[in-house]
Amino acid sequence: MAKVLVTQQIGDEGVQKLREAGHVVTYRDDTEPMTPAELQTAVRHSEGLVCLLTDRVDTAVLDAAPNLKMIANVAVGYDNIDLAAATQRGVLVSNTPDVLTETTADHAFALLLAIARRIPEADAFMRADKYEKFEMFPPLLGLDVYGKTLGIVGLGRIGAAVARRGALGFGMKVLYTATEAKTAVEQELGAERVTLPELLRQSDFVSINVPLTSETRHLFTLDTLRQMKPTACLINTARGPIVKEADLLTALREGIIWGAALDVFEDEPRMVSGLAQQHERLVVAPHLGSATGETRRKMVDTAVTNLLAGLSGQTPPNALNPEIVGQADE
Ligand code: DGY
């Protein structure tokens, strides 16, 4: 039996599963993250921690929780957790891959289509009662998607799922960047691995699907955006800080790129000043990549399954530092 802190609202099912396993759960049924000081206090006696991507689990939090054995992040991205520091302290960390792959790829593609065909602008146009006549060349002319070139920055699970939609559903040529060649995806989709400058030079749509790391922070600046075609669109469903948002705004205002669709922001939940006022050729959504009821429930269940395994001394199915398991007993 372990003391478990659930930092934010995850729904009753997951909490019940933890309690049924005999753990003593402190459930903060709240949609606001705690302040760093509150989190440090709340986690003090915990052995297990279930947290969201808006909880920053840094060295201060880890140091405040001397009994902590396992952190289960309810997200696939884990840039909110200092994994190296957790590993050093013998704390297991897990994430929730796979269950959200297709859902997030659907959302990336929804954004791609929405920006290409200017759906939010069209919706606003209708609601403002501006549709007076059919025109051959209306103000809201969009871009073709079918048969265009799709550049995937980071061909991991989600990147490959986006690539599949593009290649198989929309006849797109797929280019990608990755630290190593993905031969299975190359064979399946005819995808081609290229350098980032080459991908930017050739792609009509650039989808960001890399995790946020020190290497990918501000990967997209004005300099990068200038390497894209002026007719190209950028889609970001990964993490906000990969794109320097002020530079993207400049690129949109100056027509350096054609459009952008963003699900994530540099300083969430805020957007950089001026972005909200950019109505043309910009689609924004509040971090909804994995946000379907089914998938969010699967994510919670995956995190809870991981935590239960870790707390009972087994290797969690999605452990990010499995080398920790059994270390304390050696
Ligand atoms: C993740 O899991 O990392 C997404 O950003 C939220 O679903």
Side-chain angles (χ1 to χ4, degrees), residues 2-318:
K3 289 186 177 140
V4 175
L5 172 67
V6 180
T7 59
Q8 296 186 55
Q9 191 171 87
I10 61 163
D12 293 337
E13 265 173 58
V15 177
Q16 201 181 326
K17 193 164 160 180
L18 288 168
R19 288 193 173 128
E20 276 166 8
H23 298 303
V24 179
V25 183
T26 302
Y27 178 34
R28 203 172 150 273
D29 189 2
D30 199 319
T31 53
E32 275 303 318
M34 285 181 264
T35 64
E38 285 169 344
L39 180 55
Q40 285 162 37
T41 306
V43 78
R44 224 168 6 171
H45 303 294
S46 308
E47 292 153 276
L49 178 67
V50 178
C51 58
L52 304 195
L53 57 86
T54 46
D55 297 307
R56 183 141 295 284
V57 184
D58 53 15
T59 50
V61 171
L62 292 166
D63 288 342
N67 303 330
L68 199 60
K69 291 191 172 71
M70 163 106 200
I71 304 165
N73 207 33
V74 193
V76 66
Y78 52 89
D79 48 281
N80 57 312
I81 298 173
D82 189 336
L83 179 62
T87 306
Q88 207 179 34
R89 288 160 178 77
V91 178
L92 270 166
V93 182
S94 66
N95 67 342
T96 62
D98 303 319
V99 290
L100 49 67
T101 300
E102 301 301 339
T103 308
T104 308
D106 281 351
H107 192 60
F109 231 87
L111 291 177
L112 186 155
L113 291 170
I115 185 62
R117 301 308 300 270
R118 307 178 74 164
I119 302 297
E121 283 180 76
D123 185 85
F125 187 85
M126 289 301 292
R127 291 171 198 277
D129 211 13
K130 288 185 180 165
Y131 184 36
E132 287 166 0
K133 56 184 184 303
F134 173 86
E135 289 176 75
M136 201 58 202
F137 296 96
L140 294 178
L141 279 180
L143 298 172
D144 275 324
V145 174
Y146 192 88
K148 292 294 183 73
T149 298
L150 173 61
I152 310 274
V153 180
L155 199 81
R157 297 180 191 85
I158 298 172
V162 175
R164 223 163 264 127
R165 281 158 179 72
L168 305 179
F170 291 83
M172 297 174 95
K173 171 179 171 185
V174 174
L175 304 176
Y176 75 95
T177 64
T179 46
E180 55 192 42
K182 310 284 176 161
T183 37
V185 183
E186 288 183 9
Q187 278 161 15
E188 181 191 356
L189 307 176
E192 190 189 335
R193 183 170 170 232
V194 292
T195 62
L196 182 62
E198 193 54 34
L199 181 144
L200 299 172
R201 197 179 67 74
Q202 287 195 44
S203 299
D204 300 300
F205 297 92
V206 174
S207 175
I208 301 179
N209 296 105
V210 274
L212 175 63
T213 63
S214 50
E215 282 89 49
T216 62
R217 184 176 295 273
H218 285 178
L219 184 61
F220 282 79
T221 59
L222 206 48
D223 180 51
T224 332
L225 295 163
R226 279 191 209 284
Q227 296 174 51
M228 291 173 63
K229 294 181 186 179
T231 50
C233 295
L234 182 70
I235 296 104
N236 188 8
T237 52
R239 283 293 182 267
I242 297 168
V243 177
K244 200 167 172 198
E245 223 163 88
D247 283 9
L248 176 64
L249 182 57
T250 305
L252 290 171
R253 281 180 177 158
E254 295 183 6
I256 292 167
I257 63 171
W258 192 89
L262 307 175
D263 188 48
V264 286
F265 302 89
E266 216 177 325
D267 185 24
E268 269 179 54
R270 283 171 291 277
M271 292 195 275
V272 78
S273 162
L275 206 65
Q277 287 69 44
Q278 176 73 31
H279 296 290
E280 281 187 14
R281 301 180 187 185
L282 174 69
V283 178
V284 284
H287 205 143
L288 294 176
S290 63
T292 65
E294 291 152 278
T295 293
R296 285 284 161 91
R297 279 189 288 276
K298 283 185 203 161
M299 289 166 68
V300 169
D301 191 61
T302 303
V304 167
T305 302
N306 277 304
L307 192 79
L308 292 177
L311 291 179
S312 65
Q314 293 156 18
T315 304
N318 308 113

